[in-house]
Amino acid sequence: MKPVIALTKGRVEKQFLAYLEERAIDSTPLVEKGRKLSVETDQAIYFFAKGVDVTTYVEHGIADLGVVGEDIIAEFQPDVFNLFPLPFGACKMAVAAEKEKVWPDRKKRIASKYTNITKQFYLDKGESVDIIKLEGSVELAPLLGLADAIVDIVETGTTLKENGLEVIEDIQHFTARVIANRSSLKMKRDILQPYITLLQEEVSTS
Ligand code: PRP
């Protein structure tokens, strides 16, 4: 039996593959996977899904381990074991608006994919706002007049800059993380532990 690992497609996946290479964990079949959504190596079985689905697969024990952005964990609070952070995928959740934004004299409208994080953030501030749920390209909302500001992930800051927006307030910093199914961690410890040890190995950068 091999560990089953759910990987978040896209940016996290690319950085995770580089991370595996540094640790001499076989990643060639993953790099060469083409459009395949599942790949087996000598060490593990991997499959690729959207971040929020990674947490669902791990929660249900279909995957033993998952690699996912901490933003997804913060937003959806899945019932998984939050194993350890990875040294990549650094980004922050922030409030952003148009440069020199003139705020209207009414309740603010905030657009976000992360409605739970947004709700908690404004609750903690004691400010009542209207939250508008979007599924992507959230930066459009202030430009098109749907919202006064957005709550979104900022990684390089390029998307904000190229759309004339700026960060007004930081909410929280995140990285990618390894999560585990609660019962896999107990029942399949002997299979998972060697892989987890490899993942946590320090590598010399010199
Ligand atoms: C994320 C996020 C921002 C962008 C930030 O979007 O929602 O739009 O990345 O990255 P940057 O600071 O490096 O420009 P993603 O690419 O995941 O797509 P989405 O807009 O469809 O959510």
Side-chain angles (χ1 to χ4, degrees):
M1 247 216 288
K2 294 175 185 179
V4 179
I5 298 150
L7 295 182
T8 302
K9 289 197 286 189
R11 288 193 232 198
V12 168
E13 171 194 334
K14 288 201 186 77
Q15 295 176 91
F16 185 68
L17 296 195
Y19 186 81
L20 291 183
E21 265 169 45
E22 282 168 15
R23 276 154 193 81
I25 303 177
D26 183 20
S27 64
T28 317
L30 287 96
V31 177
E32 294 170 354
K33 73 179 169 61
R35 297 290 296 170
K36 263 191 278 178
L37 294 173
S38 172
V39 166
E40 185 165 351
T41 69
D42 290 342
Q43 286 149 322
I45 296 164
Y46 299 88
F47 65 86
F48 307 89
K50 276 185 85 120
V52 62
D53 296 339
V54 164
T55 64
T56 305
Y57 282 114
V58 173
E59 209 167 34
H60 288 265
I62 308 299
D64 302 310
L65 303 177
V67 177
V68 67
E70 209 174 355
D71 53 314
I72 300 292
I73 302 170
E75 175 67 15
F76 297 103
Q77 314 256 324
D79 184 15
V80 295
F81 198 83
N82 202 343
L83 221 46
F84 55 90
L86 289 163
F88 57 80
C91 60
K92 66 181 178 184
M93 188 68 67
V95 184
E98 282 180 290
K99 290 201 169 124
E100 287 154 40
K101 166 80 182 161
V102 179
W103 295 91
D105 191 16
R106 54 154 170 76
K107 213 194 256 192
K108 285 180 197 159
R109 296 185 191 123
I110 313 292
S112 188
K113 280 189 288 192
Y114 301 87
T115 51
N116 293 325
I117 292 173
T118 305
K119 191 171 161 198
Q120 194 57 50
F121 175 69
Y122 283 102
L123 260 178
D124 291 346
K125 277 165 76 87
E127 189 177 343
S128 171
V129 297
D130 287 328
I131 298 169
I132 301 168
K133 167 97 166 114
L134 287 177
E135 296 297 338
S137 302
V138 178
E139 292 83 358
L140 275 175
L143 306 181
L144 301 179
L146 179 68
D148 301 307
I150 60 171
V151 166
D152 201 18
I153 288 294
V154 181
E155 193 173 341
T156 61
T158 312
T159 313
L160 288 184
K161 200 169 165 212
E162 292 193 0
N163 290 288
L165 304 176
E166 65 184 2
V167 170
I168 299 171
E169 212 172 338
D170 290 352
I171 299 181
Q172 205 177 341
H173 287 262
F174 297 125
T175 65
R177 289 195 74 96
V178 177
I179 56 172
N181 174 266
R182 291 189 187 280
S183 89
S184 293
L185 215 47
K186 291 187 204 118
M187 310 299 286
K188 295 169 80 176
R189 184 113 216 153
D190 52 332
I191 296 158
L192 295 184
Q193 196 51 56
Y195 186 83
I196 291 172
T197 305
L198 278 178
L199 274 188
Q200 289 188 297
E201 211 160 65
E202 295 283 335
V203 291
S204 123
T205 50
S206 59

